[in-house]
């Protein structure tokens, strides 16, 4: 099934690998990296950093590939927020991360994901051919939708649950897993937002509509695709929806949250 926006958590893992290896620097600005767009960025917008892109705080509000209509309709006015000061779920940011990733690592995202993540985790079905790039005329930054089975997503969940380690191999550093799954902004019902991962906020505890009294994090996709991770329990929940059929079986946070709560309660029942 299509991953939709779960692709962002997958990208975060791979970016982390290359941050650890020194190929990507979160503090670099778009100006220093030579990143622009079809509609040229302003001098102020070019001061956004890679970190701002990954935490959806670039302050760059331009059309983007794979941007849902409701997000486009609520996009802030251009220039209304300085880089690093305001969170907005922004596909422009997430797509620009792909541009930065491929430029700085000199690799192709799907090929690199297969080599650095899928093969070490011995994913059952995922191959680079299960991903594709999507372009729009209004932006040079491509979307990167992919397809993945519930079983392979579960492996991703176990990887992050166990601090980036798979059996004896450290696939992604524990430091990056901790940093990327720690909330830096409050999104509301979905919880907090870290570096392209959703995460609980201390004392607030929301994740995908569920009240969660522990550290937890995950990634979510359009129509009800969820990967939720509870590291203290070594628990991974994968929820898929047949979004190939538009609107028919979609699940919202208001429906998925109570399911999470029931699963957690069942684990505590003697």
């Amino acid at each position: 099934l299509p991953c939709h926006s779960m692709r962002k958590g997958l990208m975060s893992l791979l970016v982390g690998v290359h941050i650890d290896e020194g190929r990507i620097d979160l503090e670099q600005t778009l100006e220093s990296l030579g990143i622009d767009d079809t509609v040229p960025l302003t001098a102020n917008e070019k001061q956004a950093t890679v970190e701002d892109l990954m935490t959806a705080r670039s302050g760059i509000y331009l059309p983007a590939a794979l941007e849902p209509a409701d997000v486009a309709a609520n996009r802030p006015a251009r220039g209304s927020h300085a880089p690093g000061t305001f969170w907005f779920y922004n596909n422009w940011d997430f797509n620009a991360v792909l541009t930065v990733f491929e430029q700085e690592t000199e690799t192709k995202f799907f090929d690199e994901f297969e080599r650095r993540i899928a093969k070490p985790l011995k994913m059952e079905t995922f191959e680079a051919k299960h991903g594709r790039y999507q372009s729009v005329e209004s932006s040079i930054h491509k979307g990167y939708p992919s397809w993945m089975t519930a079983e392979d997503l579960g492996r991703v969940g176990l990887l992050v649950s166990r601090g980036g380690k798979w059996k004896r191999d450290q696939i992604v550093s524990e430091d990056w897993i901790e940093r990327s799954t720690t909330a830096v902004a409050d999104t509301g019902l979905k919880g907090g937002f870290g570096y392209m991962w959703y995460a609980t906020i201390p004392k607030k505890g929301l994740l995908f509509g569920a009240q969660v009294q522990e550290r937890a994090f995950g990634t979510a996709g359009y129509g009800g695709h969820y990967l939720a991770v509870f590291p203290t329990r070594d628990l991974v929940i994968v929820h898929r929806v047949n979004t190939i059929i538009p609107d028919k079986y979609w699940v919202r946070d208001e429906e998925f949250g109570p399911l999470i709560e029931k699963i957690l309660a069942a684990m505590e029942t003697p």
Side-chain angles (χ1 to χ4, degrees), residues 49-71:
T49 63
V50 178
E51 180 174 24
D52 294 333
L53 297 179
M54 296 198 68
T55 56
R57 298 184 297 183
S58 74
I60 300 170
Y61 307 122
L62 293 172
L66 300 177
E67 183 178 43
D70 60 332
V71 174

Side-chain angles (χ1 to χ4, degrees), residues 29-32 35-36 40-48 58 60 78 83:
T29 65
L30 301 189
E31 182 176 47
S32 67
I35 301 297
D36 212 321
L41 301 183
T42 66
N44 192 45
E45 289 170 337
K46 288 181 179 180
Q47 299 314 301
S58 74
I60 300 170
R78 192 174 183 195

Side-chain angles (χ1 to χ4, degrees), residues 1-12:
L1 288 169
C3 288
H4 298 289
S5 286
M6 288 193 291
R7 67 190 174 100
K8 293 151 190 173
L10 305 180
M11 171 62 84
S12 180

